[in-house]
Amino acid sequence: MAGLAAAFGSGAMTNNIGDLQNAEVILITGSNTTENHPVISTYIKRAVKFRGTKLIVVDPRGIKMTKFATKWLRQNLGTDIAWINGMMHVIIKEGLWDKKFVETRTEGFEELKKIVEKYTPEYVEKITGISRQDLIEAARMYAKAKSAAIVYTMGITQHITGTDNVKSLANLALLCGNLGIEGGGVNPLRGQNNVQGACDMGGLPNVYSGYQVVTNPDIRSKMAKAWGVANLPDKVGLKVTEMIPKALEKSIRALYIIGENPVLSDADIGHVRKAIESLDFLVVQDIFLTETAELADVVLPAAAFAEKEGTFTNTERRVSRVRKAIDPPGEAKADGDIIMELSYRMGYEMKYSSIEELYEEIRQVTPSYKGITYKELEKEGKFWPCPEVGHPGTPILHTEKFPIGKGKFHAIEFLPPAEQVDDQYPMWLTTGRILYQYHTGTMTRKVDGINKLAPECFIEMSPEDAEELGLKDGDLAEVESRRGKVKARVKVSDVARKGTIFMPFHFKEAPANLLTNPVFDPIAGIPEYKVCAVKVAKVA
Amino acid sequence: MQNKCIINNKEYNFNDGETILEVAQRNNIYIPTLCYLKKTGTPTGKCNICMVELRPSGELVHACLTKVEAGMNIITESDKCVAHRREVLEKLLALGYHDCPTCPIPGDCELQDLVWKYGAKGIDLTKKEKDYVVKYITPFIRWDSSKCVRCGRCIQACFDVQVNNAIRVYEVNGEAKKADRDDKVTSLFDSREYVERLKAEFTEPILPAPDENFCVSCGECVQACPVGALSSSYEWLGPKKWQMKKVQTTCSYCGVGCQLDLYVKDNRIFLVTGANEAPNYGSLCVKGRFGFRFISSDERLKKPLIKKNGQFTEASWDDALDFISKKLTEIKDQFGPDSIGVFTSARITNEENYLVQKFARAVIGTNNVDHCARL
Ligand code: SF4
Ligand code: SF4
Ligand code: SF4
C-alpha cells in the first residue's frame, strides 16, 4: 500500500474488478487467485476463455492459475524486483514503452532507465531462474498490449522488500502507460474483507479517515473541532509490528485488540506471545475465545457480521451495506456499541441515534466518501473517491492525473531476502492461505464440512525433494527454522518448486508462523512471511 | 416498421441481434425457460420449453435462439404453445423420479412451478424402476440423479461462469462414462460439447454431475440448477427458502466483498446464496456460500469475561467496562497515552473502525492505532 501511494498518491486498486475483463493482457504475481479471491479469479478465467485475454503468471508455485496462463514464469523466491527490472530492461531496449505517457504523466524516468540498464535477461536469469527467452516474451506481451492489468497480493508484499516490490510493479505499469485506462491498472487484492475499509477509516497510525495525515495541523484542528476535543496527538503512532516489540520493552503497557488473533497470525509467534504476556493490561474483543483472547485480562463478546448494520469497503473501493439478519448470542454486542459505551465511561460521549447518523459524520469529515450517502447504498454499492453528492463514484483511478500530480518512477535495486538458505537450513519455506480455510481458522474451523475438506496443516513439497528426503505423501515430517519447529504431514505435489516448501498458516496445531521471520519491511511494516530458510526431516 | 415487433398484440422496439426472449424479458413479458442460464448469454435451445408461436404461419420457434426480425408477430401463450409445453413437461416428468416430498427444494422448483402452470400430468411412480443415485459429491454438494431434467445449466455454470470445469457426464446409476473419466477436459474446455451431447442423448439415461476430484464446492451449479438435482446439504437439512426471511449483506471473508442473501428463521441463518448484484452477480466461493455456520457455534462468546487469579469468570457489562475504563485511565495517567495501543480490525465495519480510531485519538489521546492485516 505504501508502495503504490508513493508512486501514484493512492494505495488502493486502481481499477475495478469487472474491468479486468477489458484487459488484453493480465499479469498476476504473488496471488493464488483461485484460492484466495475465488470470485475475482472467475473474472480472469472468463476473460482468458471468452475474450482472448492473455495471462502471464509469475509465481514459484504451480498454482491453478498457471493452467490458464499463456506464459508462466517460475521465479526463485524473493527475486521479484529482479524480474520486474528485467522486463523493463527489455521494454526500454526494444523501444516498447509508452513515450507519450512517460513524458506527460510521469517523472523519474532517467533514473529508472539507469538502474534497469544492468538487468539484462542473462543477469536476471541468474538471479531469478527465469529463462531469458521467457522473460523477453513476457515483457513484449505486456508492453505491446493496448491495455494490461497487474494483479498482486501478499506474495508481493510479504517480503522485507515488499514496498519496493510494489513500487517496481508501479514502475512497469507507468512505463507502459497502463494507468487511468480501461483494462489497465495496478491492482492489489485485499486479503481480509474490510482491510480497505479499516485503512479508509483511519485504522492506521499516521492518518485519519480518508488518508488525512495526523501531522498536518490544519487537518488536526479540523478533526478536533469535529470531535469536540481541545487537541489531538500530533505524532505518528506505532504500527502493529512496532507495538509488539515495544510491549516487550515495556514502553507499551496496555493493548486493546479487536477481532484479531496476532498470537497465531503474526510472524514468529513465539515472540509475539512473549510480548503480549509482558503487558500490564490486555483487552480482547472478539466473537470467539481465540489464542490471543486467552491471554487477556478482560474479554468482551462481540457480534458477528450478520448481527449488525453498517458498511464494508471491498478491495475495489466499493462501499457496500452490511445488514443485520439475526441478533447476537447471549449478551454479545456490536463492536461499535462496545466502544461507545467504554468511551462514555472514560469521559467522552459518542452519541449516535443510528448507524446512519454515524455514517453521516464520517461522510462529513472524509473527503473521499463525501458523495456516498447511506441511503443510496441501500440499492447498490458505490466506488470512492466520490467528492460530492450526485457524483457517480470512481471505478477507475488516475484517468486525468495522479493525486500527487505526476506518477513517480522509483529506481530500485534488487536485494536478496533477509534470510538465506545454508547448509543447516537448506530449503525455502513460503506460507499462505488455502481455499477452504481462512486466516487463523477462528471462523472456518468451526464449520463441519470445511474441516472435512481441509482438516489439517500440510507441507507441500516437490516430488524431487520428497525423494531426496526419503519422504512419501502422508508421512509426518518436522520443519525447523532458526525460530521454531512445526510438525505436519507431507503432501507431495507438482505445485511445489524444487527446494521450496509451502505451508498454510490456518492451523493452530501446526502454526507455520512459529517458523517465519519477523524482519519486516521498514515502510509498510509487513513481515517477511513469504520467505524463510528451513530444514525438513522425517519424524520417525 | 423499422426495429419494431409485435408480442401478444402489442408493439415493442428491439435492438439488432436481440432474441425474442431478450426482448420479452426486457419488457417483463413471461416466457418459461429451463435450460437458459441468463448469466452466460449463450442459450443452448435444449429444453424446448420456451417455444413461442409466430403469426400468421403458426410456426413454433425457440424464444431463446430466434433473433427478432422487423414486423415479427409473436404469441407467447397460444393454445399451441401451451399444448407443446405440457408435452415437454410430461416427458421431463417421465424421465426422472419426481416424488416431490423427497426433494430438497420443494416449493422452490422451476419444474414444479411449470407443471402447475401448464397442468402437466405426472407418471405413476409406483410403476417406475428406481435406479437412481443420491450422494454427496463434497460435504456441501448433494446430487440426486432422480430429479435431473438434463437442462445443462450446471455445465454452463461450472464451465462458463466459474470456469472450474468439474462436471462430467454419468450414467444414471452413477458410473461415469469412460471417456469422461480420462482427464481430457483441459482448462479451456468448451461446455458446448457437453451440452450438445446431452441434447443428442436426451432420451438416453445419461446426465451431468460434479466430479469430486475437481469440484471446489463453489456451488455455482447448485444455484443454477432449476430443480432439486443439485442442492446443498443445508437445503436438504434446513427449512425451505420460502419459509425464511431473506437479508442481503456483504461477505465477511475475503476482500472481494461478494453480495450474499442470508436466509433466516428463528434467529438463525440456514442458507446462503449469491445475490444478483455487483461484484459477484450470484457467484460465490465455498467460504461465502457454505462457511457461515461459525455464527451459530456454541463456542461463541456470550458474556464478558474478567481474569481473576489466572481464571476467567463471567462478568456483567457494567463491571467489565468499568474495570477497563479504570485500568486504561490509570495506565494513561502513569505512563502517558502513548503507552497504550489499539488494534482495530479488518473484520469489523467501516463505522466501527471509524469509532475505534476516534476512541484511540480523541479519548485515549494516542495515534497508536493500527490493524493486523496490512497489505
Ligand atoms: S460446486 Fe462449483 S466447482 Fe463444483 S461442480 Fe458445481 S460449479 Fe463446478
Ligand atoms: S443437475 Fe440440475 S442443472 Fe444440471 S442438468 Fe440436471 S437439472 Fe439441469
Ligand atoms: S464469497 Fe468467497 S470470493 Fe466472495 S467475498 Fe466471500 S470469500 Fe471472497
Side-chain angles (χ1 to χ4, degrees):
Chain A
M1 213 202 87
L4 279 197
F8 311 145
S10 162
M13 246 173 110
T14 60
N15 292 46
N16 59 308
I17 295 170
D19 184 57
L20 284 168
Q21 308 215 60
N22 301 323
E24 235 178 73
V25 166
I26 299 175
L27 188 160
I28 303 181
T29 181
S31 156
N32 187 0
T33 330
T34 55
E35 303 217 15
N36 295 340
H37 298 91
V39 169
I40 290 184
S41 81
T42 68
Y43 278 86
I44 299 172
K45 290 186 284 187
R46 283 198 301 269
V48 171
K49 179 165 177 176
F50 296 110
R51 304 176 72 113
T53 299
K54 291 189 192 120
L55 179 64
I56 305 171
V57 177
V58 189
D59 205 297
R61 293 176 70 215
I63 53 172
K64 210 183 250 170
M65 267 303 175
T66 62
K67 300 229 157 49
F68 294 83
T70 319
K71 203 105 220 122
W72 171 26
L73 310 184
R74 204 170 197 182
Q75 84 279 36
N76 292 329
L77 226 48
T79 62
D80 297 301
I81 291 170
W83 68 258
I84 304 166
N85 278 350
M87 273 177 71
M88 292 192 285
H89 174 99
V90 174
I91 291 166
I92 293 174
K93 203 174 122 215
E94 300 192 0
L96 299 173
W97 45 293
D98 187 334
K99 283 131 210 144
K100 187 158 158 252
F101 189 90
V102 168
E103 192 173 307
T104 55
R105 296 207 44 196
T106 70
E107 58 195 33
F109 176 65
E110 287 308 318
E111 291 81 349
L112 177 85
K113 198 170 157 194
K114 221 175 285 153
I115 283 267
V116 303
E117 182 75 51
K118 74 162 185 264
Y119 289 83
T120 60
E122 294 70 29
Y123 179 62
V124 172
E125 182 176 306
K126 256 185 243 132
I127 302 171
T128 63
I130 297 171
S131 86
R132 52 197 89 171
Q133 200 49 37
D134 280 347
L135 185 85
I136 293 170
E137 281 169 22
R140 286 182 188 153
M141 197 180 284
Y142 178 83
K144 285 184 181 164
K146 263 208 247 35
S147 59
I150 296 174
V151 171
Y152 70 91
T153 59
M154 309 277 195
I156 280 292
T157 53
Q158 288 181 347
H159 290 282
I160 186 163
T161 57
T163 300
D164 282 346
N165 288 353
V166 174
K167 284 181 186 163
S168 299
L169 290 175
N171 284 340
L172 182 59
L174 285 171
L175 185 65
C176 297
N178 274 320
L179 286 157
I181 57 168
E182 274 187 14
V186 183
N187 299 301
L189 308 183
R190 304 292 192 158
Q192 295 191 47
N193 67 314
N194 203 27
V195 186
Q196 188 63 51
C199 295
D200 294 352
M201 290 300 115
L204 292 169
N206 58 336
V207 289
Y208 302 109
S209 61
Y211 306 95
Q212 308 175 80
V213 291
V214 298
T215 46
N216 179 326
D218 294 338
I219 289 172
R220 235 176 17 248
S221 71
K222 169 184 119 177
M223 295 307 291
K225 199 163 143 237
W227 292 348
V229 292
N231 46 47
L232 286 167
D234 56 1
K235 173 171 126 239
V236 169
L238 299 171
K239 299 173 189 133
V240 163
T241 40
E242 292 164 341
M243 287 191 245
I244 301 274
K246 288 268 192 301
L248 262 183
E249 295 164 18
K250 284 281 196 192
S251 56
I252 287 283
R253 295 272 171 166
L255 282 179
Y256 196 118
I257 300 180
I258 300 170
E260 294 280 5
N261 192 11
V263 165
L264 216 54
S265 66
D266 281 22
D268 191 6
I269 56 183
H271 172 86
V272 175
R273 176 177 279 269
K274 247 183 263 143
I276 286 184
E277 279 171 347
S278 61
L279 290 167
D280 293 356
F281 189 58
L282 173 67
V283 181
V284 173
Q285 186 170 309
D286 210 319
I287 62 174
F288 290 112
L289 194 65
T290 61
E291 292 71 20
T292 307
E294 273 166 27
L295 304 177
D297 296 290
V298 185
V299 179
L300 300 176
F305 80 106
E307 296 158 355
K308 58 194 179 189
E309 298 281 331
T311 61
F312 283 152
T313 303
N314 79 347
T315 187
E316 53 174 347
R317 297 173 280 104
R318 186 198 298 268
V319 186
S320 297
R321 275 293 310 277
V322 175
R323 291 186 187 85
K324 181 171 169 168
I326 54 175
D327 294 323
E331 294 178 23
K333 286 185 194 202
D335 293 278
D337 291 336
I338 302 174
I339 292 295
M340 286 193 243
E341 289 191 27
L342 180 60
S343 176
Y344 174 71
R345 276 161 222 260
M346 291 182 71
Y348 180 92
E349 194 170 13
M350 294 183 182
K351 221 173 131 197
Y352 306 95
S353 61
S354 65
I355 296 288
E356 186 170 353
E357 191 183 317
L358 166 55
Y359 181 87
E360 193 55 28
E361 175 179 319
I362 297 174
R363 208 167 69 76
Q364 292 309 333
V365 300
T366 313
S368 49
Y369 279 65
K370 186 132 197 187
I372 307 176
T373 64
Y374 201 70
K375 285 232 160 52
E376 68 187 326
L377 292 177
E378 193 50 50
K379 280 223 324 280
E380 58 175 352
K382 200 169 173 187
F383 297 101
W384 69 259
C386 185
E388 71 236 19
V389 176
H391 186 284
T394 315
I396 301 178
L397 296 180
H398 318 314
T399 47
E400 308 274 309
K401 63 179 181 59
F402 295 96
I404 49 168
K406 291 199 167 183
K408 272 200 184 62
F409 283 112
H410 292 87
I412 293 162
E413 287 279 10
F414 163 71
L415 263 182
E419 193 166 87
Q420 287 293 320
V421 291
D422 55 22
D423 289 348
Q424 209 188 348
Y425 299 100
M427 296 185 84
W428 295 110
L429 164 72
T430 183
T431 66
R433 293 190 175 134
I434 56 173
L435 171 66
Y436 297 104
Q437 298 285 0
Y438 178 77
H439 216 52
T440 63
T442 311
M443 303 186 319
T444 40
R445 295 202 67 197
K446 298 196 173 63
V447 180
D448 283 348
I450 286 190
N451 282 331
K452 271 189 214 134
L453 289 166
E456 59 174 13
C457 188
F458 56 83
I459 306 164
E460 177 190 279
M461 182 182 288
S462 70
E464 297 95 313
D465 286 338
E467 202 188 310
E468 215 165 275
L469 292 162
L471 287 162
K472 285 191 309 298
D473 202 66
D475 279 356
L476 195 61
E478 185 173 71
V479 182
E480 184 180 343
S481 80
R482 293 187 172 83
R483 291 154 296 273
K485 293 180 200 175
V486 167
K487 282 195 197 101
R489 298 213 176 267
V490 172
K491 180 172 163 190
V492 179
S493 162
D494 289 332
V495 173
R497 192 180 204 283
K498 186 179 175 330
T500 303
I501 59 169
F502 166 85
M503 286 176 82
F505 66 85
H506 314 284
F507 300 91
K508 59 172 176 252
E509 304 79 2
N513 285 333
L514 265 177
L515 307 167
T516 45
N517 194 355
V519 293
F520 51 83
D521 176 331
I523 300 159
I526 303 176
E528 188 149 63
Y529 292 111
K530 291 295 172 197
V531 202
C532 74
V534 294
K535 69 175 170 206
V536 183
K538 187 168 176 165
V539 176
Chain B
M1 289 285 287
Q2 202 50 39
N3 275 6
K4 283 203 191 332
C5 64
I6 298 166
I7 305 179
N8 299 339
N9 303 317
K10 247 187 97 182
E11 210 174 68
Y12 295 94
N13 291 324
F14 68 94
N15 304 318
D16 283 336
E18 258 187 317
T19 62
I20 298 175
L21 184 64
E22 283 163 346
V23 177
Q25 290 191 338
R26 198 156 46 69
N27 292 294
N28 294 319
I29 300 166
Y30 174 77
I31 295 177
T33 58
L34 271 176
C35 68
Y36 182 65
L37 189 61
K38 192 167 184 180
K39 212 167 166 179
T40 60
T42 46
T44 58
K46 212 186 106 38
C47 74
N48 299 330
I49 200 86
C50 71
M51 301 295 249
V52 290
E53 187 177 339
L54 297 187
R55 294 277 164 86
S57 68
E59 190 190 350
L60 289 184
V61 294
H62 283 97
C64 68
L65 294 177
T66 312
K67 303 246 189 303
V68 182
E69 285 164 24
M72 208 178 232
N73 188 348
I74 302 148
I75 304 285
T76 63
E77 298 278 323
S78 68
D79 291 350
K80 201 166 170 186
C81 300
V82 169
H84 170 78
R85 283 173 199 160
R86 195 178 299 131
E87 204 179 302
V88 169
L89 289 166
E90 285 174 357
K91 262 196 220 151
L92 288 178
L93 285 174
L95 193 64
Y97 197 90
H98 292 276
D99 50 345
C100 298
T102 68
C103 179
I105 59 159
D108 180 33
C109 170
E110 295 179 32
L111 180 68
Q112 204 179 44
D113 291 349
L114 290 170
V115 164
W116 281 110
K117 185 170 166 68
Y118 293 109
K121 284 201 188 55
I123 49 161
D124 181 354
L125 288 178
T126 58
K127 298 219 172 76
K128 186 146 171 121
E129 204 191 329
K130 235 187 136 181
D131 57 348
Y132 298 104
V133 247
V134 175
K135 74 174 189 188
Y136 283 87
I137 311 285
T138 75
F140 300 115
I141 311 283
R142 184 181 187 271
W143 179 45
D144 177 347
S145 75
S146 75
K147 307 284 187 276
C148 178
V149 294
R150 278 73 154 173
C151 68
R153 250 150 81 165
C154 54
I155 302 179
Q156 287 197 304
C158 189
F159 283 74
D160 300 345
V161 178
Q162 288 269 348
V163 204
N164 287 332
N165 307 346
I167 299 220
R168 303 291 177 268
V169 172
Y170 292 78
E171 307 265 8
V172 167
N173 63 13
E175 289 293 311
K177 286 214 146 182
K178 183 117 191 27
D180 303 302
R181 264 291 147 101
D182 310 329
D183 185 29
K184 64 162 191 166
V185 186
T186 61
S187 54
L188 295 180
F189 185 78
D190 192 338
S191 69
R192 260 171 303 179
E193 191 184 316
Y194 264 30
V195 176
E196 277 311 307
R197 200 155 137 202
L198 284 176
K199 189 173 172 180
E201 302 182 57
F202 194 54
T203 51
E204 279 184 41
I206 67 156
L207 69 184
D211 180 331
E212 60 184 26
N213 298 310
F214 296 88
C215 174
V216 293
S217 299
C218 70
E220 188 83 32
C221 58
V222 170
Q223 191 155 333
C225 182
V227 293
L230 286 170
S231 62
S232 79
S233 45
Y234 298 154
E235 278 172 306
W236 173 239
L237 297 167
K240 305 305 158 203
K241 257 192 196 161
W242 43 270
Q243 297 173 315
M244 296 188 276
K245 184 176 88 183
K246 185 168 96 172
V247 181
Q248 189 187 326
T249 192
T250 306
C251 179
S252 75
Y253 282 109
C254 86
V256 182
C258 292
Q259 294 299 299
L260 314 174
D261 282 330
L262 309 178
Y263 285 87
V264 181
K265 189 170 187 267
D266 301 333
N267 203 39
R268 202 184 151 133
I269 298 164
F270 285 96
L271 184 68
V272 170
T273 61
N276 190 22
E277 296 268 344
N280 52 309
Y281 300 102
S283 296
L284 295 175
C285 79
V286 58
K287 292 185 287 283
R289 195 182 295 274
F290 300 119
F292 59 88
R293 282 282 178 98
F294 72 91
I295 299 172
S296 50
S297 159
D298 290 339
E299 292 170 46
R300 282 286 300 274
L301 288 166
K302 295 183 192 73
K303 283 194 95 166
L305 304 172
I306 297 180
K307 200 179 264 163
K308 288 186 184 128
N309 310 319
Q311 284 285 312
F312 281 124
T313 47
E314 288 188 353
S316 69
W317 274 106
D318 275 336
D319 289 349
L321 291 172
D322 282 341
F323 181 55
I324 297 170
S325 156
K326 186 173 130 261
K327 288 295 281 190
L328 289 181
T329 310
E330 271 171 26
I331 291 170
K332 177 175 157 178
D333 290 347
Q334 200 180 344
F335 302 104
D338 287 336
S339 66
I340 300 173
V342 180
F343 291 11
T344 187
S345 172
R347 323 301 327 287
I348 63 177
T349 64
N350 287 337
E351 294 71 22
E352 292 171 331
N353 270 295
Y354 176 83
L355 287 181
V356 173
Q357 57 101 29
K358 183 171 175 180
F359 172 74
R361 295 180 160 126
V363 184
I364 296 178
T366 179
N367 282 318
N368 290 343
V369 55
D370 196 4
H371 61 275
C372 289
R374 288 171 154 271
L375 184 127

